[in-house]
Amino acid sequence: SYPSMHEVSFRFDSKNLSIFSLGTLFALLFFTIFAGLYAFAPEVLAVAFLDIGQGDSILITSPSGNNMIIDGGPDKSVLSALGRHMPFWERSIDVMLATHPDADHTAGLSYVLDRFHIGAFIDQGKDSGTLTYHTLEQKVADNNVPRFLAKRGMDIDFGDGADFLILYPDKDVSQVPDTNLASIVGKLSYGNTAFILTGDAPKSTEDHLVALDGSRLEANVLKVGHHGSKTSSDPVFVNTVHPQYAVISAGKNNMYGFPATQTIDTLQNEGAKILITFNLGDIVFTSDGNKVMEK
């Protein structure tokens, strides 16, 4: 069940963050030298598009060390992927968000719930009717994780200048005929930099957002919708976002033929650098608030 509220703003305690961030920084630096783990300096946002096969999973780490997982891929491979980007002792994730109930986005989240303490769970209210999603919902309930319904205008404020603003859905999507039509779309911002994260949102949702937000959709990085399917990445939407980088999360030799040639053409015409997980593995960006850097 969801809280009876129209708008929710998540804000993390900055005092606790400063203590956590300092300890984490030294630990990460140590393990980077001796164990090859990632370490990010203060005031840096990190976004990792995880290589989990045919599906989506994104780990966001804010400048103060707070984190958020968006989708979890199709299986427990998300756990090893998280292990590549989180200290081995870390057993908490502040926010878990399921963009829509398809198994290639949500099956792995059940494994994450088994391993990590989750501060809050956000989804879109669309029930796929599948055992996979019902299992996830049950684990959220069994672990007493607060659950929130995604609505346009909800803001996840990390308390350090980074925030994730939900752009869609702006209406009840519980009865839409296609689960992709329920996909949460959000904008992650830090300083003058931004990421547009789209789930499997189709062209109709993209067109709707262009009409609502226009140039406010502009971002450095676009997570390409629906794994590069031709059902997403409308040229007008891509042109409006005008990304420097376009990330496609897809499995090698997947049965769907993702990404579509049509989508690649659209992204190339826009001048975006195309990065695909099945070619590169995990795709990681950092932002200092002024520019986005590909690791």
Side-chain angles (χ1 to χ4, degrees):
S1 61
Y2 299 102
S4 56
M5 57 183 72
H6 297 292
E7 294 184 5
V8 176
S9 179
F10 297 90
R11 182 178 294 276
F12 300 97
D13 188 290
S14 59
K15 181 179 179 180
N16 290 338
L17 283 181
S18 63
I19 297 171
F20 173 80
S21 180
L22 183 62
T24 301
L25 175 60
F26 285 117
L28 284 175
L29 286 172
F30 176 83
F31 282 103
T32 297
I33 296 171
F34 294 101
L37 296 178
Y38 287 101
F40 301 110
E43 307 304 320
V44 173
L45 172 74
V47 182
F49 297 87
L50 305 177
D51 179 23
I52 40 70
Q54 179 51 43
D56 263 23
S57 188
I58 304 166
L59 176 67
I60 298 166
T61 305
S62 83
S64 294
N66 286 296
N67 52 32
M68 174 179 178
I69 186 170
I70 299 178
D71 293 335
D75 52 40
K76 65 180 180 181
S77 63
V78 65
L79 296 179
S80 58
L82 289 174
R84 296 192 290 269
H85 302 278
M86 296 176 67
F88 71 85
W89 63 86
E90 179 63 74
R91 284 294 177 264
S92 65
I93 294 177
D94 297 294
V95 180
M96 173 184 284
L97 185 148
T99 59
H100 64 299
D102 288 0
D104 61 332
H105 289 247
T106 60
L109 292 178
S110 290
Y111 295 98
V112 176
L113 275 158
D114 289 338
R115 190 71 63 87
F116 293 86
H117 169 77
I118 305 300
F121 177 75
I122 302 172
D123 67 341
Q124 12 54 43
K126 173 64 178 173
D127 186 350
S128 64
T130 64
L131 177 60
T132 297
Y133 202 68
H134 287 171
T135 298
L136 173 61
E137 291 179 308
Q138 190 60 53
K139 289 191 176 186
V140 168
D142 290 347
N143 285 281
N144 298 313
V145 179
R147 184 176 180 182
F148 299 93
L149 180 66
K151 292 289 186 182
R152 179 178 171 86
M154 282 177 63
D155 186 47
I156 300 167
D157 184 351
F158 291 99
D160 47 26
D163 73 287
F164 181 81
L165 179 65
I166 293 177
L167 305 178
Y168 188 87
D170 61 350
K171 57 188 176 184
D172 180 4
V173 294
S174 62
Q175 301 303 314
V176 294
D178 180 353
T179 53
N180 291 339
L181 289 166
S183 282
I184 296 171
V185 179
K187 183 175 184 178
L188 174 66
S189 301
Y190 182 52
N192 297 318
T193 64
F195 299 70
I196 294 289
L197 308 176
T198 59
D200 280 358
K203 290 180 178 179
S204 59
T205 299
E206 294 174 344
D207 293 344
H208 182 59
L209 288 173
V210 169
L212 284 176
D213 294 312
S215 61
R216 288 177 293 182
L217 293 173
E218 188 169 347
N220 305 83
V221 179
L222 170 65
K223 201 293 294 184
V224 178
H226 202 185
H227 321 287
S229 166
K230 65 181 180 181
T231 62
S232 300
S233 301
D234 183 273
V236 174
F237 175 75
V238 173
N239 180 257
T240 303
V241 177
H242 190 54
Q244 178 183 359
Y245 300 97
V247 177
I248 298 173
S249 182
K252 194 171 185 64
N253 300 319
N254 64 82
M255 63 184 292
Y256 309 103
F258 297 152
T261 301
Q262 176 180 322
T263 298
I264 296 298
D265 289 344
T266 297
L267 298 170
Q268 287 179 335
N269 289 339
E270 188 58 34
K273 182 176 181 179
I274 301 170
L275 306 172
I276 308 176
T277 55
F278 66 60
N279 284 335
L280 299 172
D282 298 341
I283 297 168
V284 183
F285 296 94
T286 60
S287 167
D288 61 4
N290 292 310
K291 62 181 179 179
V292 169
M293 294 149 284
E294 176 192 354
K295 286 186 67 69

